[in-house]
Amino acid sequence: MYTPAITGTGVFTPTDVVTNAELVTAFNAYADKWNDEHADEIAAGSVEAMQHSSEEFIFKASGIENRYVMDKTGILDPEVMHPLLRQRDDDEPGLMTEMAVDAAEKALAQADRKAGDIDAVICAASNHERAYPAVAIEVQDALGIVGFAFDMNVACSSATFGLQAAADMIRSGSIRSALVVNPEICTAHLEWRDRDCHFIFGDVATAVVLERAEDAKGTHFEVLSTRCATKFSNNIRNNNGFLRRSRPAGMEDRRDMQFMQNGRKVFKEVLPMVSQHITDHMTDEGVGSADLKRLWLHQANKTMNDFIGKKVLGREPEAGEQPNILQDYANTSSAGSIIAFSKYSDDLTEGDLGLICSFGAGYSVGSVIVRRHS
Ligand code: COA
């Protein structure tokens, strides 16, 4: 068995930023327009008027202040209320590929590796741009990687499940190195007309290079252990899929074809599941809370992360121990914990231990315990 290690990470960040203030202005204009159009039904009591959203609520309920997006014009246009993304020719690189390649190039540079050194590509994300060919194979082709590639989807947990898949292949010797990319265009599956969730998501792409630890050219994070778990739940669901046109009313503008969640239930059910998962994983690996220098958690909600950090460490996390990036990026699904890891891991020193954890729809949770080597 070989020891896998993370030798490089990269983040692609879109240039468009949407603030809570901009978002709320657009939403409220849409709500006013909708209420005008449905004034008679509202007056008759057959439909409920849409209520305004609020900046204060969004920040207090989630901790989110801004989000990066691939297109803000459509999102902020009350006549559109979704991103407007150019239709690409089949011969052009797909949008997810373009984002993933940018992040991958940064990760390869950090690992001091060329694309030719990589044996496999995994595109682990919540949504894939098309059914096939796999986005991962397009990324492989764009970078000139020989070997194989495949897509996988475990919603917000995709990144850690992808890391486990890659680490296991390196451990067994079937590959020497892998690139795991997480391009997330969450704004395209978000229902911007629903005030309960319109503030939740942003877009980003992350990439991680994994190799045999013995091949690492510089500072790296040895992957000590990975653990994944799932438990079926309908509380986060998206019914869009290839059977859509075969079903009555399948092609209509239906709410369930976008991200749907029962946020309160998710909060209540996922928190204990994740806290227990991390605690058990650490206990089984002989890692005590005092040994852990950093927690890089999934970035969905600040209160949620505060709770998990406190449960896992057995005390209030100190500043910097459990870095959040969701105030700037919002929830970027599988990429969130990898952004936090990429931006807040340089300062760790030889032997320091940390834990990456992502969780979400499924339900699903994945954790990766790493040790820093200079
Ligand atoms: N602006 C103003 N008020 C709003 C609002 C908005 N944008 N959205 C909802 N509200 C109102 C609600 O209507 C509700 O009003 P009521 O009390 O009169 O019924 C009130 O604010 C509270 O809403 P609720 O949905 O219970 O808020 P919350 O505190 O649970 O926060 C989430 C909502 C989504 C931020 C929170 O539940 C959450 O983060 N859950 C977990 C999400 C998660 O991790 N998902 C994983 C996705 S990958």
Side-chain angles (χ1 to χ4, degrees), residues 5-11 101-115 117-118 179 206-211 215-221 296 338-347 356 372-373:
I6 294 172
T7 56
T9 59
V11 179
V101 163
D102 182 284
E105 282 169 347
K106 290 168 181 154
L108 287 165
Q110 193 180 74
D112 193 16
R113 287 286 172 199
K114 297 271 176 284
D117 299 325
I118 301 296
L179 177 68
T206 50
V208 178
V209 173
L210 291 106
E211 306 177 62
D215 292 344
K217 288 188 172 184
T219 54
H220 59 276
F221 284 89
W296 300 279
I338 306 298
I339 306 173
F341 176 73
S342 185
K343 290 189 183 291
Y344 296 99
S345 52
D346 273 1
D347 59 315
I356 305 169
R372 170 82 170 192
H373 292 287

mmCIF file of all heavy atoms in Angstrom, residues 5-11 101-115 117-118 179 206-211 215-221 296 338-347 356 372-373:
data_model
loop_
_atom_site.group_PDB
_atom_site.id
_atom_site.type_symbol
_atom_site.label_atom_id
_atom_site.label_comp_id
_atom_site.label_asym_id
_atom_site.label_seq_id
_atom_site.Cartn_x
_atom_site.Cartn_y
_atom_site.Cartn_z
ATOM 1 N N ALA A 5 -1.050 11.681 -0.773
ATOM 2 C CA ALA A 5 -0.846 13.032 -0.210
ATOM 3 C C ALA A 5 -1.448 14.077 -1.136
ATOM 4 O O ALA A 5 -1.459 13.901 -2.365
ATOM 5 C CB ALA A 5 0.642 13.297 -0.032
ATOM 6 N N ILE A 6 -1.939 15.143 -0.520
ATOM 7 C CA ILE A 6 -2.400 16.310 -1.296
ATOM 8 C C ILE A 6 -1.180 17.199 -1.510
ATOM 9 O O ILE A 6 -0.558 17.645 -0.545
ATOM 10 C CB ILE A 6 -3.502 17.074 -0.534
ATOM 11 C CG1 ILE A 6 -4.761 16.199 -0.414
ATOM 12 C CG2 ILE A 6 -3.815 18.402 -1.215
ATOM 13 C CD1 ILE A 6 -5.846 16.785 0.485
ATOM 14 N N THR A 7 -0.836 17.432 -2.786
ATOM 15 C CA THR A 7 0.384 18.210 -3.059
ATOM 16 C C THR A 7 0.089 19.578 -3.668
ATOM 17 O O THR A 7 0.986 20.406 -3.780
ATOM 18 C CB THR A 7 1.332 17.418 -3.979
ATOM 19 O OG1 THR A 7 0.615 17.079 -5.175
ATOM 20 C CG2 THR A 7 1.831 16.155 -3.304
ATOM 21 N N GLY A 8 -1.172 19.784 -4.098
ATOM 22 C CA GLY A 8 -1.497 21.096 -4.653
ATOM 23 C C GLY A 8 -2.994 21.335 -4.663
ATOM 24 O O GLY A 8 -3.781 20.392 -4.775
ATOM 25 N N THR A 9 -3.383 22.602 -4.499
ATOM 26 C CA THR A 9 -4.798 22.966 -4.616
ATOM 27 C C THR A 9 -4.902 24.247 -5.434
ATOM 28 O O THR A 9 -3.948 25.029 -5.511
ATOM 29 C CB THR A 9 -5.461 23.237 -3.240
ATOM 30 O OG1 THR A 9 -4.742 24.295 -2.598
ATOM 31 C CG2 THR A 9 -5.479 22.008 -2.358
ATOM 32 N N GLY A 10 -6.054 24.456 -6.048
ATOM 33 C CA GLY A 10 -6.282 25.680 -6.816
ATOM 34 C C GLY A 10 -7.744 26.070 -6.757
ATOM 35 O O GLY A 10 -8.623 25.219 -6.606
ATOM 36 N N VAL A 11 -7.989 27.376 -6.852
ATOM 37 C CA VAL A 11 -9.364 27.897 -6.810
ATOM 38 C C VAL A 11 -9.570 28.830 -7.998
ATOM 39 O O VAL A 11 -8.771 29.743 -8.220
ATOM 40 C CB VAL A 11 -9.630 28.684 -5.499
ATOM 41 C CG1 VAL A 11 -11.059 29.232 -5.472
ATOM 42 C CG2 VAL A 11 -9.375 27.822 -4.269
ATOM 43 N N VAL A 101 -10.401 23.755 -15.472
ATOM 44 C CA VAL A 101 -9.035 23.816 -15.996
ATOM 45 C C VAL A 101 -8.258 24.952 -15.326
ATOM 46 O O VAL A 101 -7.089 24.800 -14.959
ATOM 47 C CB VAL A 101 -9.044 23.961 -17.545
ATOM 48 C CG1 VAL A 101 -7.702 24.430 -18.075
ATOM 49 C CG2 VAL A 101 -9.450 22.640 -18.197
ATOM 50 N N ASP A 102 -8.913 26.088 -15.129
ATOM 51 C CA ASP A 102 -8.253 27.215 -14.450
ATOM 52 C C ASP A 102 -7.798 26.798 -13.047
ATOM 53 O O ASP A 102 -6.642 27.033 -12.650
ATOM 54 C CB ASP A 102 -9.220 28.405 -14.374
ATOM 55 C CG ASP A 102 -8.590 29.615 -13.724
ATOM 56 O OD1 ASP A 102 -8.443 29.625 -12.481
ATOM 57 O OD2 ASP A 102 -8.205 30.565 -14.443
ATOM 58 N N ALA A 103 -8.703 26.164 -12.298
ATOM 59 C CA ALA A 103 -8.355 25.723 -10.933
ATOM 60 C C ALA A 103 -7.274 24.648 -10.991
ATOM 61 O O ALA A 103 -6.333 24.636 -10.178
ATOM 62 C CB ALA A 103 -9.597 25.193 -10.224
ATOM 63 N N ALA A 104 -7.383 23.743 -11.961
ATOM 64 C CA ALA A 104 -6.421 22.625 -12.083
ATOM 65 C C ALA A 104 -5.019 23.146 -12.378
ATOM 66 O O ALA A 104 -4.033 22.647 -11.819
ATOM 67 C CB ALA A 104 -6.869 21.674 -13.177
ATOM 68 N N GLU A 105 -4.930 24.158 -13.240
ATOM 69 C CA GLU A 105 -3.600 24.692 -13.569
ATOM 70 C C GLU A 105 -2.928 25.282 -12.325
ATOM 71 O O GLU A 105 -1.727 25.128 -12.119
ATOM 72 C CB GLU A 105 -3.713 25.724 -14.699
ATOM 73 C CG GLU A 105 -3.882 25.030 -16.049
ATOM 74 C CD GLU A 105 -4.256 25.949 -17.197
ATOM 75 O OE1 GLU A 105 -4.645 27.114 -16.927
ATOM 76 O OE2 GLU A 105 -4.170 25.503 -18.358
ATOM 77 N N LYS A 106 -3.719 25.931 -11.482
ATOM 78 C CA LYS A 106 -3.163 26.485 -10.230
ATOM 79 C C LYS A 106 -2.715 25.355 -9.299
ATOM 80 O O LYS A 106 -1.652 25.431 -8.664
ATOM 81 C CB LYS A 106 -4.215 27.360 -9.528
ATOM 82 C CG LYS A 106 -4.483 28.663 -10.278
ATOM 83 C CD LYS A 106 -5.712 29.379 -9.753
ATOM 84 C CE LYS A 106 -5.971 30.656 -10.548
ATOM 85 N NZ LYS A 106 -7.372 31.069 -10.532
ATOM 86 N N ALA A 107 -3.520 24.295 -9.227
ATOM 87 C CA ALA A 107 -3.171 23.162 -8.344
ATOM 88 C C ALA A 107 -1.913 22.459 -8.850
ATOM 89 O O ALA A 107 -1.032 22.089 -8.058
ATOM 90 C CB ALA A 107 -4.343 22.191 -8.262
ATOM 91 N N LEU A 108 -1.817 22.293 -10.160
ATOM 92 C CA LEU A 108 -0.631 21.635 -10.741
ATOM 93 C C LEU A 108 0.623 22.482 -10.483
ATOM 94 O O LEU A 108 1.689 21.939 -10.147
ATOM 95 C CB LEU A 108 -0.825 21.422 -12.251
ATOM 96 C CG LEU A 108 -1.809 20.312 -12.650
ATOM 97 C CD1 LEU A 108 -2.203 20.427 -14.130
ATOM 98 C CD2 LEU A 108 -1.218 18.926 -12.365
ATOM 99 N N ALA A 109 0.475 23.801 -10.631
ATOM 100 C CA ALA A 109 1.625 24.690 -10.394
ATOM 101 C C ALA A 109 2.085 24.573 -8.942
ATOM 102 O O ALA A 109 3.289 24.498 -8.657
ATOM 103 C CB ALA A 109 1.254 26.137 -10.728
ATOM 104 N N GLN A 110 1.130 24.524 -8.010
ATOM 105 C CA GLN A 110 1.506 24.406 -6.596
ATOM 106 C C GLN A 110 2.198 23.073 -6.315
ATOM 107 O O GLN A 110 3.129 23.011 -5.511
ATOM 108 C CB GLN A 110 0.264 24.545 -5.707
ATOM 109 C CG GLN A 110 0.629 24.755 -4.257
ATOM 110 C CD GLN A 110 -0.600 24.898 -3.376
ATOM 111 O OE1 GLN A 110 -1.293 23.934 -3.097
ATOM 112 N NE2 GLN A 110 -0.872 26.118 -2.961
ATOM 113 N N ALA A 111 1.756 22.031 -7.006
ATOM 114 C CA ALA A 111 2.373 20.703 -6.811
ATOM 115 C C ALA A 111 3.683 20.574 -7.596
ATOM 116 O O ALA A 111 4.371 19.557 -7.477
ATOM 117 C CB ALA A 111 1.406 19.616 -7.259
ATOM 118 N N ASP A 112 4.000 21.606 -8.404
ATOM 119 C CA ASP A 112 5.172 21.561 -9.295
ATOM 120 C C ASP A 112 5.082 20.363 -10.242
ATOM 121 O O ASP A 112 6.052 19.631 -10.438
ATOM 122 C CB ASP A 112 6.463 21.519 -8.454
ATOM 123 C CG ASP A 112 7.708 21.797 -9.303
ATOM 124 O OD1 ASP A 112 7.543 22.310 -10.435
ATOM 125 O OD2 ASP A 112 8.825 21.481 -8.848
ATOM 126 N N ARG A 113 3.898 20.174 -10.795
ATOM 127 C CA ARG A 113 3.631 19.058 -11.702
ATOM 128 C C ARG A 113 3.124 19.564 -13.043
ATOM 129 O O ARG A 113 2.522 20.634 -13.119
ATOM 130 C CB ARG A 113 2.544 18.146 -11.109
ATOM 131 C CG ARG A 113 3.031 17.311 -9.952
ATOM 132 C CD ARG A 113 3.906 16.198 -10.457
ATOM 133 N NE ARG A 113 4.544 15.471 -9.386
ATOM 134 C CZ ARG A 113 5.619 14.711 -9.542
ATOM 135 N NH1 ARG A 113 6.186 14.604 -10.729
ATOM 136 N NH2 ARG A 113 6.138 14.064 -8.528
ATOM 137 N N LYS A 114 3.370 18.769 -14.063
ATOM 138 C CA LYS A 114 2.797 19.030 -15.388
ATOM 139 C C LYS A 114 1.585 18.104 -15.535
ATOM 140 O O LYS A 114 1.508 17.056 -14.861
ATOM 141 C CB LYS A 114 3.822 18.694 -16.485
ATOM 142 C CG LYS A 114 5.079 19.555 -16.431
ATOM 143 C CD LYS A 114 4.883 20.824 -17.258
ATOM 144 C CE LYS A 114 6.060 21.763 -17.171
ATOM 145 N NZ LYS A 114 6.134 22.527 -15.894
ATOM 146 N N ALA A 115 0.691 18.469 -16.456
ATOM 147 C CA ALA A 115 -0.493 17.630 -16.673
ATOM 148 C C ALA A 115 -0.091 16.192 -17.013
ATOM 149 O O ALA A 115 -0.752 15.234 -16.613
ATOM 150 C CB ALA A 115 -1.342 18.221 -17.792
ATOM 151 N N ASP A 117 2.017 14.406 -15.761
ATOM 152 C CA ASP A 117 2.343 13.596 -14.564
ATOM 153 C C ASP A 117 1.105 12.967 -13.937
ATOM 154 O O ASP A 117 1.219 12.160 -13.014
ATOM 155 C CB ASP A 117 3.013 14.485 -13.499
ATOM 156 C CG ASP A 117 4.316 15.095 -13.992
ATOM 157 O OD1 ASP A 117 5.033 14.410 -14.753
ATOM 158 O OD2 ASP A 117 4.605 16.252 -13.629
ATOM 159 N N ILE A 118 -0.083 13.395 -14.390
ATOM 160 C CA ILE A 118 -1.335 12.951 -13.749
ATOM 161 C C ILE A 118 -1.893 11.712 -14.464
ATOM 162 O O ILE A 118 -1.889 11.633 -15.689
ATOM 163 C CB ILE A 118 -2.379 14.101 -13.777
ATOM 164 C CG1 ILE A 118 -1.838 15.338 -13.049
ATOM 165 C CG2 ILE A 118 -3.719 13.656 -13.181
ATOM 166 C CD1 ILE A 118 -1.577 15.184 -11.570
ATOM 167 N N LEU A 179 -6.093 14.090 -10.262
ATOM 168 C CA LEU A 179 -6.579 15.466 -10.167
ATOM 169 C C LEU A 179 -8.075 15.365 -9.866
ATOM 170 O O LEU A 179 -8.811 14.718 -10.618
ATOM 171 C CB LEU A 179 -6.349 16.149 -11.514
ATOM 172 C CG LEU A 179 -6.826 17.578 -11.694
ATOM 173 C CD1 LEU A 179 -6.016 18.531 -10.831
ATOM 174 C CD2 LEU A 179 -6.672 17.970 -13.173
ATOM 175 N N THR A 206 -12.841 24.333 -7.726
ATOM 176 C CA THR A 206 -11.634 24.008 -6.971
ATOM 177 C C THR A 206 -10.975 22.779 -7.602
ATOM 178 O O THR A 206 -11.629 22.014 -8.307
ATOM 179 C CB THR A 206 -11.941 23.718 -5.485
ATOM 180 O OG1 THR A 206 -13.004 22.768 -5.405
ATOM 181 C CG2 THR A 206 -12.330 24.973 -4.749
ATOM 182 N N ALA A 207 -9.684 22.628 -7.334
ATOM 183 C CA ALA A 207 -8.954 21.464 -7.848
ATOM 184 C C ALA A 207 -7.934 21.021 -6.807
ATOM 185 O O ALA A 207 -7.369 21.851 -6.082
ATOM 186 C CB ALA A 207 -8.242 21.823 -9.146
ATOM 187 N N VAL A 208 -7.741 19.715 -6.732
ATOM 188 C CA VAL A 208 -6.766 19.136 -5.793
ATOM 189 C C VAL A 208 -5.915 18.122 -6.545
ATOM 190 O O VAL A 208 -6.446 17.282 -7.271
ATOM 191 C CB VAL A 208 -7.493 18.416 -4.622
ATOM 192 C CG1 VAL A 208 -6.483 17.776 -3.672
ATOM 193 C CG2 VAL A 208 -8.390 19.373 -3.861
ATOM 194 N N VAL A 209 -4.591 18.216 -6.372
ATOM 195 C CA VAL A 209 -3.683 17.201 -6.915
ATOM 196 C C VAL A 209 -3.310 16.251 -5.787
ATOM 197 O O VAL A 209 -2.926 16.688 -4.697
ATOM 198 C CB VAL A 209 -2.397 17.846 -7.502
ATOM 199 C CG1 VAL A 209 -1.382 16.766 -7.898
ATOM 200 C CG2 VAL A 209 -2.732 18.710 -8.704
ATOM 201 N N LEU A 210 -3.478 14.956 -6.034
ATOM 202 C CA LEU A 210 -3.049 13.931 -5.070
ATOM 203 C C LEU A 210 -1.993 13.057 -5.714
ATOM 204 O O LEU A 210 -2.097 12.715 -6.904
ATOM 205 C CB LEU A 210 -4.222 13.038 -4.655
ATOM 206 C CG LEU A 210 -5.290 13.704 -3.801
ATOM 207 C CD1 LEU A 210 -6.542 13.954 -4.620
ATOM 208 C CD2 LEU A 210 -5.646 12.826 -2.606
ATOM 209 N N GLU A 211 -0.976 12.685 -4.922
ATOM 210 C CA GLU A 211 0.101 11.826 -5.425
ATOM 211 C C GLU A 211 0.519 10.877 -4.311
ATOM 212 O O GLU A 211 0.107 11.030 -3.159
ATOM 213 C CB GLU A 211 1.336 12.666 -5.767
ATOM 214 C CG GLU A 211 1.116 13.811 -6.696
ATOM 215 C CD GLU A 211 2.418 14.597 -6.891
ATOM 216 O OE1 GLU A 211 3.401 14.015 -7.392
ATOM 217 O OE2 GLU A 211 2.442 15.785 -6.517
ATOM 218 N N ASP A 215 6.371 10.765 -3.766
ATOM 219 C CA ASP A 215 6.638 11.515 -5.001
ATOM 220 C C ASP A 215 6.530 13.032 -4.803
ATOM 221 O O ASP A 215 6.872 13.805 -5.707
ATOM 222 C CB ASP A 215 5.639 11.122 -6.095
ATOM 223 C CG ASP A 215 5.833 9.695 -6.587
ATOM 224 O OD1 ASP A 215 6.906 9.127 -6.310
ATOM 225 O OD2 ASP A 215 4.913 9.164 -7.243
ATOM 226 N N ALA A 216 6.007 13.465 -3.651
ATOM 227 C CA ALA A 216 5.750 14.903 -3.440
ATOM 228 C C ALA A 216 7.045 15.695 -3.583
ATOM 229 O O ALA A 216 8.091 15.314 -3.070
ATOM 230 C CB ALA A 216 5.148 15.121 -2.055
ATOM 231 N N LYS A 217 6.932 16.840 -4.291
ATOM 232 C CA LYS A 217 8.146 17.631 -4.551
ATOM 233 C C LYS A 217 8.370 18.719 -3.506
ATOM 234 O O LYS A 217 9.412 19.346 -3.474
ATOM 235 C CB LYS A 217 8.040 18.277 -5.924
ATOM 236 C CG LYS A 217 8.180 17.287 -7.071
ATOM 237 C CD LYS A 217 8.247 18.092 -8.351
ATOM 238 C CE LYS A 217 8.573 17.243 -9.557
ATOM 239 N NZ LYS A 217 8.709 18.074 -10.752
ATOM 240 N N GLY A 218 7.368 18.994 -2.700
ATOM 241 C CA GLY A 218 7.525 20.064 -1.708
ATOM 242 C C GLY A 218 6.616 19.821 -0.528
ATOM 243 O O GLY A 218 6.264 18.674 -0.228
ATOM 244 N N THR A 219 6.204 20.907 0.121
ATOM 245 C CA THR A 219 5.299 20.757 1.269
ATOM 246 C C THR A 219 4.010 20.089 0.786
ATOM 247 O O THR A 219 3.542 20.327 -0.327
ATOM 248 C CB THR A 219 4.936 22.126 1.878
ATOM 249 O OG1 THR A 219 4.421 22.942 0.841
ATOM 250 C CG2 THR A 219 6.128 22.789 2.524
ATOM 251 N N HIS A 220 3.470 19.217 1.621
ATOM 252 C CA HIS A 220 2.260 18.495 1.223
ATOM 253 C C HIS A 220 1.492 18.044 2.456
ATOM 254 O O HIS A 220 1.999 18.131 3.586
ATOM 255 C CB HIS A 220 2.619 17.298 0.337
ATOM 256 C CG HIS A 220 3.538 16.317 0.990
ATOM 257 N ND1 HIS A 220 4.909 16.483 0.987
ATOM 258 C CD2 HIS A 220 3.287 15.165 1.674
ATOM 259 C CE1 HIS A 220 5.463 15.471 1.644
ATOM 260 N NE2 HIS A 220 4.508 14.658 2.074
ATOM 261 N N PHE A 221 0.296 17.557 2.216
ATOM 262 C CA PHE A 221 -0.543 17.026 3.302
ATOM 263 C C PHE A 221 -0.757 15.538 3.057
ATOM 264 O O PHE A 221 -1.459 15.159 2.109
ATOM 265 C CB PHE A 221 -1.892 17.758 3.347
ATOM 266 C CG PHE A 221 -1.806 19.129 3.939
ATOM 267 C CD1 PHE A 221 -1.526 20.228 3.137
ATOM 268 C CD2 PHE A 221 -1.987 19.327 5.295
ATOM 269 C CE1 PHE A 221 -1.432 21.497 3.682
ATOM 270 C CE2 PHE A 221 -1.896 20.595 5.850
ATOM 271 C CZ PHE A 221 -1.616 21.685 5.048
ATOM 272 N N TRP A 296 -11.471 22.296 8.265
ATOM 273 C CA TRP A 296 -11.929 22.977 7.049
ATOM 274 C C TRP A 296 -13.297 22.389 6.721
ATOM 275 O O TRP A 296 -13.391 21.293 6.134
ATOM 276 C CB TRP A 296 -10.954 22.750 5.896
ATOM 277 C CG TRP A 296 -9.577 23.251 6.163
ATOM 278 C CD1 TRP A 296 -9.132 24.540 6.055
ATOM 279 C CD2 TRP A 296 -8.417 22.465 6.544
ATOM 280 N NE1 TRP A 296 -7.786 24.607 6.356
ATOM 281 C CE2 TRP A 296 -7.325 23.356 6.650
ATOM 282 C CE3 TRP A 296 -8.211 21.105 6.796
ATOM 283 C CZ2 TRP A 296 -6.046 22.920 7.003
ATOM 284 C CZ3 TRP A 296 -6.943 20.677 7.147
ATOM 285 C CH2 TRP A 296 -5.878 21.573 7.246
ATOM 286 N N ILE A 338 -12.944 22.886 0.252
ATOM 287 C CA ILE A 338 -11.654 22.905 -0.463
ATOM 288 C C ILE A 338 -11.159 24.352 -0.628
ATOM 289 O O ILE A 338 -9.954 24.612 -0.559
ATOM 290 C CB ILE A 338 -11.762 22.193 -1.838
ATOM 291 C CG1 ILE A 338 -12.318 20.768 -1.666
ATOM 292 C CG2 ILE A 338 -10.406 22.171 -2.544
ATOM 293 C CD1 ILE A 338 -11.467 19.831 -0.813
ATOM 294 N N ILE A 339 -12.078 25.301 -0.798
ATOM 295 C CA ILE A 339 -11.653 26.716 -0.830
ATOM 296 C C ILE A 339 -11.010 27.049 0.516
ATOM 297 O O ILE A 339 -9.931 27.644 0.585
ATOM 298 C CB ILE A 339 -12.833 27.687 -1.068
ATOM 299 C CG1 ILE A 339 -13.625 27.337 -2.318
ATOM 300 C CG2 ILE A 339 -12.326 29.136 -1.165
ATOM 301 C CD1 ILE A 339 -14.899 28.183 -2.484
ATOM 302 N N ALA A 340 -11.703 26.663 1.604
ATOM 303 C CA ALA A 340 -11.179 26.959 2.953
ATOM 304 C C ALA A 340 -9.815 26.310 3.138
ATOM 305 O O ALA A 340 -8.874 26.944 3.646
ATOM 306 C CB ALA A 340 -12.167 26.463 4.012
ATOM 307 N N PHE A 341 -9.675 25.063 2.713
ATOM 308 C CA PHE A 341 -8.395 24.351 2.832
ATOM 309 C C PHE A 341 -7.316 25.055 2.011
ATOM 310 O O PHE A 341 -6.187 25.278 2.477
ATOM 311 C CB PHE A 341 -8.564 22.899 2.360
ATOM 312 C CG PHE A 341 -7.292 22.105 2.356
ATOM 313 C CD1 PHE A 341 -6.715 21.678 3.541
ATOM 314 C CD2 PHE A 341 -6.657 21.784 1.162
ATOM 315 C CE1 PHE A 341 -5.533 20.951 3.548
ATOM 316 C CE2 PHE A 341 -5.479 21.054 1.149
ATOM 317 C CZ PHE A 341 -4.913 20.635 2.348
ATOM 318 N N SER A 342 -7.661 25.410 0.786
ATOM 319 C CA SER A 342 -6.683 26.027 -0.114
ATOM 320 C C SER A 342 -6.197 27.378 0.417
ATOM 321 O O SER A 342 -5.021 27.700 0.351
ATOM 322 C CB SER A 342 -7.324 26.191 -1.497
ATOM 323 O OG SER A 342 -6.402 26.675 -2.415
ATOM 324 N N LYS A 343 -7.118 28.146 0.998
ATOM 325 C CA LYS A 343 -6.761 29.507 1.434
ATOM 326 C C LYS A 343 -6.182 29.549 2.845
ATOM 327 O O LYS A 343 -5.491 30.499 3.188
ATOM 328 C CB LYS A 343 -8.004 30.420 1.380
ATOM 329 C CG LYS A 343 -8.450 30.731 -0.043
ATOM 330 C CD LYS A 343 -9.535 31.796 -0.039
ATOM 331 C CE LYS A 343 -10.069 32.079 -1.433
ATOM 332 N NZ LYS A 343 -9.142 32.745 -2.339
ATOM 333 N N TYR A 344 -6.487 28.542 3.652
ATOM 334 C CA TYR A 344 -6.074 28.599 5.061
ATOM 335 C C TYR A 344 -5.354 27.333 5.512
ATOM 336 O O TYR A 344 -5.750 26.686 6.478
ATOM 337 C CB TYR A 344 -7.287 28.874 5.959
ATOM 338 C CG TYR A 344 -7.908 30.222 5.697
ATOM 339 C CD1 TYR A 344 -9.039 30.343 4.890
ATOM 340 C CD2 TYR A 344 -7.336 31.385 6.218
ATOM 341 C CE1 TYR A 344 -9.584 31.591 4.620
ATOM 342 C CE2 TYR A 344 -7.884 32.627 5.952
ATOM 343 C CZ TYR A 344 -9.006 32.730 5.153
ATOM 344 O OH TYR A 344 -9.540 33.959 4.884
ATOM 345 N N SER A 345 -4.284 26.958 4.791
ATOM 346 C CA SER A 345 -3.505 25.799 5.232
ATOM 347 C C SER A 345 -1.995 26.037 5.177
ATOM 348 O O SER A 345 -1.226 25.264 5.740
ATOM 349 C CB SER A 345 -3.867 24.561 4.397
ATOM 350 O OG SER A 345 -3.769 24.843 3.022
ATOM 351 N N ASP A 346 -1.594 27.123 4.522
ATOM 352 C CA ASP A 346 -0.161 27.407 4.333
ATOM 353 C C ASP A 346 0.609 27.567 5.635
ATOM 354 O O ASP A 346 1.803 27.282 5.708
ATOM 355 C CB ASP A 346 0.006 28.728 3.555
ATOM 356 C CG ASP A 346 -0.026 28.471 2.068
ATOM 357 O OD1 ASP A 346 -0.198 27.287 1.703
ATOM 358 O OD2 ASP A 346 0.088 29.444 1.289
ATOM 359 N N ASP A 347 -0.064 28.099 6.657
ATOM 360 C CA ASP A 347 0.628 28.430 7.904
ATOM 361 C C ASP A 347 0.830 27.215 8.814
ATOM 362 O O ASP A 347 1.504 27.324 9.845
ATOM 363 C CB ASP A 347 -0.149 29.510 8.668
ATOM 364 C CG ASP A 347 -1.555 29.056 8.997
ATOM 365 O OD1 ASP A 347 -2.211 28.491 8.100
ATOM 366 O OD2 ASP A 347 -1.996 29.234 10.145
ATOM 367 N N ILE A 356 -10.641 17.871 6.807
ATOM 368 C CA ILE A 356 -11.531 18.473 5.798
ATOM 369 C C ILE A 356 -12.857 17.723 5.885
ATOM 370 O O ILE A 356 -12.858 16.486 5.949
ATOM 371 C CB ILE A 356 -10.962 18.293 4.369
ATOM 372 C CG1 ILE A 356 -9.539 18.831 4.253
ATOM 373 C CG2 ILE A 356 -11.872 18.944 3.334
ATOM 374 C CD1 ILE A 356 -8.817 18.454 2.955
ATOM 375 N N ARG A 372 0.406 17.630 7.889
ATOM 376 C CA ARG A 372 1.292 18.511 7.123
ATOM 377 C C ARG A 372 2.731 18.009 7.143
ATOM 378 O O ARG A 372 3.242 17.599 8.198
ATOM 379 C CB ARG A 372 1.231 19.912 7.756
ATOM 380 C CG ARG A 372 2.249 20.896 7.269
ATOM 381 C CD ARG A 372 1.803 21.532 5.985
ATOM 382 N NE ARG A 372 2.677 22.632 5.652
ATOM 383 C CZ ARG A 372 2.411 23.527 4.710
ATOM 384 N NH1 ARG A 372 1.310 23.467 4.021
ATOM 385 N NH2 ARG A 372 3.250 24.511 4.455
ATOM 386 N N HIS A 373 3.397 18.063 5.993
ATOM 387 C CA HIS A 373 4.830 17.768 5.911
ATOM 388 C C HIS A 373 5.508 18.896 5.152
ATOM 389 O O HIS A 373 5.065 19.277 4.076
ATOM 390 C CB HIS A 373 5.080 16.451 5.195
ATOM 391 C CG HIS A 373 4.602 15.252 5.987
ATOM 392 N ND1 HIS A 373 5.257 14.796 7.109
ATOM 393 C CD2 HIS A 373 3.509 14.473 5.826
ATOM 394 C CE1 HIS A 373 4.591 13.758 7.602
ATOM 395 N NE2 HIS A 373 3.524 13.550 6.843
#
